């Protein structure tokens, strides 16, 4: 149950992260927009590499369900953190 909950939570953060990213793309111009795009590309690369690493550590044959939950929890936290960063940028720009 906890595993399923964490997977749903991860998807929720992904949807929100994409929402804030797209909003920022419409609000930023010039170098700021370029930096946002570069930052998101770098974050995605980091996330992918981190998922590869955690997958190799937590999803090995000898690891149990609790370790898999730890991996998904960590991944969810990564999405949460990036979502909050983008949300803060949006609030700063829009004043909301």
């Amino acid at each position: 149950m906890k595993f399923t909950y964490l997977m749903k939570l991860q998807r929720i953060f992904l949807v929100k992260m994409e929402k804030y990213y797209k909003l920022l793309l419409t609000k930023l111009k010039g170098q700021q927009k370029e930096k946002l795009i570069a930052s998101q590309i770098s974050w995605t690369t980091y996330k992918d590499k981190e998922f590869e690493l955690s997958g190799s550590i937590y999803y090995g044959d000898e690891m149990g369900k609790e370790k898999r939950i730890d991996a998904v929890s960590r991944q969810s936290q990564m999405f949460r953190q990036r979502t909050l960063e983008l949300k803060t940028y949006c609030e700063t720009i829009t004043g909301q």
Side-chain angles (χ1 to χ4, degrees):
M1 175 120 171
K2 187 173 183 180
F3 184 83
T4 303
Y5 168 77
L6 288 170
M7 291 300 293
K8 286 180 184 178
L9 188 62
Q10 189 170 318
R11 281 191 292 273
I12 289 168
F13 283 126
L14 177 60
V15 168
K16 287 184 178 186
M17 181 181 70
E18 289 174 352
K19 174 186 126 182
Y20 292 124
Y21 178 71
K22 288 176 183 175
L23 179 61
L24 283 167
L25 285 175
T26 67
K27 300 290 183 186
L28 297 175
K29 305 288 183 228
Q31 285 188 349
Q32 286 182 329
K33 188 173 186 174
E34 290 173 17
K35 288 178 182 182
L36 171 66
I37 293 167
S39 174
Q40 192 66 11
I41 290 169
S42 294
W43 182 85
T44 301
T45 300
Y46 166 74
K47 183 242 334 154
D48 291 345
K49 294 296 181 186
E50 195 63 28
F51 280 23
E52 285 178 24
L53 174 61
S54 67
S56 70
I57 292 171
Y58 291 118
Y59 287 92
D61 291 335
E62 66 279 356
M63 297 297 170
K65 186 176 181 180
E66 286 299 315
K67 291 297 180 189
R68 291 185 180 106
I69 290 172
D70 290 345
V72 173
S73 177
R74 172 151 169 60
Q75 293 168 356
S76 296
Q77 288 300 317
M78 289 176 66
F79 279 111
R80 177 184 177 275
Q81 181 62 38
R82 183 62 178 168
T83 300
L84 292 175
E85 290 167 355
L86 295 177
K87 180 182 179 197
T88 300
Y89 292 144
C90 284
E91 291 170 348
T92 300
I93 290 169
T94 63
Q96 297 178 2

